[in-house]
Amino acid sequence: MNPSSTHCSQPVSRNLNNDLQHNCINTHSLATNFRNTMNSKPANQSPSKINTNNKSKNYVPARNRLHGNSKNNSFNIAHLNVRSLEKHIDEIKILIRKHDFDILCLTETWLHGLVSDSSITIEGYRHYRRDRIGKKGGGEIIYIKESIKSRKVDDLSNFPIESIWVEVMVKGIGWVLVSCMYREPKANIAYYESMLDNIESAISKNENIVILGDLNFDYKLDETLENNPVYYIEKLYLLQQLITEPT
């Protein structure tokens, strides 16, 4: 689901006190079977939103529409499931400097209203955060280099799911929508369909999109269209999955 120009030549981190789960340009993490988490529908029944033969737009595959006109037009973007940003902020600062990320997306930040922006600021980067409201856990944040033009897309970031969307200017490509998204393992089919609504709304604004995060689906467990929810999203919107091995 990420642009082919995006790169990360090595794992984000080998070991951050064994508390950080790490992925490079990750769209989802291995967790649980679609048929178990989506138990409100039979395993062989597609979500009502899905119809791969009914696209309202003539989408161009992600490999083509997000490839800059120069080999130097790539940008370095990564995702981590951080499980408490406050606890790991010093390690994140070291990590982002070491790998010189242009954009770093973090899920499960576990932030709340009592955590100030100043306590999670990283020099040279601006950040956009969305905290979970009403219960502990969750939360997303996107760090973007100050040298990169960026702006939060409020209407896309206010859907009833855990996602935050930012538009960034990428040399040779133009404005690209970047999303940091989280889905907890016990989320039901209604949550998944809200994710589809969110993505569809994003594409209606800009077909150049990058989705990172932790969706808690086991992609390799079942790669058939009927039972793989991430594969559904790829086929529905002609997105390209860049993660080719378990993370």
Side-chain angles (χ1 to χ4, degrees):
M1 289 186 191
N2 315 78
S4 56
S5 59
T6 308
H7 73 278
C8 185
S9 60
Q10 56 185 326
V12 171
S13 174
R14 293 178 181 270
N15 179 13
L16 293 181
N17 293 337
N18 296 318
D19 288 323
L20 293 182
Q21 302 174 17
H22 58 271
N23 306 300
C24 175
I25 331 174
N26 193 13
T27 308
H28 64 284
S29 64
L30 304 180
T32 186
N33 192 340
F34 177 50
R35 285 168 291 188
N36 293 332
T37 57
M38 298 299 184
N39 55 18
S40 60
K41 284 182 177 282
N44 60 357
Q45 184 176 354
S46 304
S48 58
K49 185 101 180 156
I50 295 295
N51 182 349
T52 57
N53 295 318
N54 184 26
K55 297 183 178 68
S56 59
K57 305 180 72 175
N58 295 319
Y59 294 116
V60 178
R63 179 186 297 274
N64 295 326
R65 61 171 196 261
L66 284 180
H67 188 71
N69 55 23
S70 167
K71 291 182 180 180
N72 296 323
N73 288 340
S74 63
F75 61 104
N76 196 7
I77 183 170
H79 161 261
L80 280 171
N81 187 322
V82 69
R83 297 181 61 84
S84 180
L85 179 55
E86 273 194 299
K87 182 177 179 180
H88 296 294
I89 185 61
D90 290 337
E91 294 159 292
I92 292 298
K93 289 178 179 179
I94 294 171
L95 186 71
I96 205 168
R97 301 296 182 199
K98 178 179 179 180
H99 295 278
D100 193 30
F101 293 130
D102 295 307
I103 302 174
L104 178 62
C105 299
L106 304 176
T107 49
E108 289 206 81
T109 59
W110 298 358
L111 299 178
H112 49 80
L114 297 179
V115 179
S116 66
D117 280 342
S118 61
S119 67
I120 54 171
T121 294
I122 298 178
E123 185 179 357
Y125 288 79
R126 62 174 59 91
H127 67 263
Y128 303 88
R129 63 187 269 191
R130 183 179 182 183
D131 303 345
R132 179 182 285 181
I133 305 298
K135 62 178 181 178
K136 295 180 179 180
E140 302 79 44
I141 193 167
I142 301 178
Y143 287 96
I144 302 176
K145 281 184 176 179
E146 291 179 345
S147 59
I148 299 174
K149 291 182 180 179
S150 64
R151 58 198 182 198
K152 183 181 178 184
V153 184
D154 289 321
D155 58 334
L156 295 178
S157 301
N158 290 329
F159 272 66
I161 61 171
E162 295 196 61
S163 70
I164 185 168
W165 291 81
V166 174
E167 204 164 28
V168 300
M169 177 61 72
V170 180
K171 183 179 179 182
I173 298 174
W175 288 103
V176 175
L177 277 170
V178 176
S179 176
C180 184
M181 190 175 293
Y182 178 72
R183 172 195 168 276
E184 59 184 354
K186 63 182 180 181
N188 59 20
I189 188 71
Y191 191 96
Y192 177 67
E193 294 204 344
S194 292
M195 287 169 48
L196 296 183
D197 289 338
N198 195 203
I199 296 169
E200 185 171 310
S201 294
I203 290 179
S204 71
K205 291 177 175 290
N206 186 345
E207 290 187 359
N208 294 336
I209 69 170
V210 183
I211 301 174
L212 302 96
D214 185 352
L215 302 187
N216 281 303
F217 287 123
D218 192 336
Y219 189 86
K220 284 294 184 181
L221 189 62
D222 193 338
E223 294 188 77
T224 62
L225 185 60
E226 291 79 9
N227 296 320
N228 189 316
V230 178
Y231 191 41
Y232 270 126
I233 294 173
E234 293 173 29
K235 289 299 181 181
L236 182 62
Y237 300 117
L238 294 181
L239 299 173
Q240 180 186 4
Q241 171 65 264
L242 293 190
I243 302 301
T244 58
E245 58 186 45
T247 58

